Amino acid sequence: AFAQCESVGRLICLLLKHGIQLPEIAKQIKGISCHASSEDLSSCASAISQVLETEGKSVIVTTVETVNR
């Protein structure tokens, strides 16, 4: 699961660098399922989409600030 989350995170960063908006990214990864799903979340990607939808830019800014330290 960690590798999947890291890869999705890297792709999200790349998309943001190329001007793709957060709502579009969230829309594309929302609802992706995997074999280890629960009732609330169907995958790591779907969980990330929920965070992007609810927290949006504050999550990205915090992440970028942490990486740039």
Side-chain angles (χ1 to χ4, degrees):
F2 180 78
Q4 291 173 347
C5 288
E6 183 177 358
S7 64
V8 170
R10 288 181 184 197
L11 289 171
I12 289 170
C13 287
L14 183 63
L15 291 168
L16 290 170
K17 287 179 183 179
H18 285 84
I20 308 300
Q21 299 297 309
L22 286 175
E24 181 61 26
I25 296 169
K27 183 175 121 182
Q28 291 298 316
I29 63 175
K30 185 176 185 172
I32 294 174
S33 62
C34 70
H35 66 303
S37 63
S38 71
E39 192 173 300
D40 296 329
L41 296 172
S42 55
S43 68
C44 295
S46 191
I48 292 169
S49 76
Q50 284 187 357
V51 172
L52 292 177
E53 289 175 340
T54 59
E55 302 298 326
K57 289 186 178 182
S58 64
V59 171
I60 301 303
V61 169
T62 302
T63 303
V64 170
E65 288 173 350
T66 302
V67 169
N68 288 334
R69 286 186 189 165

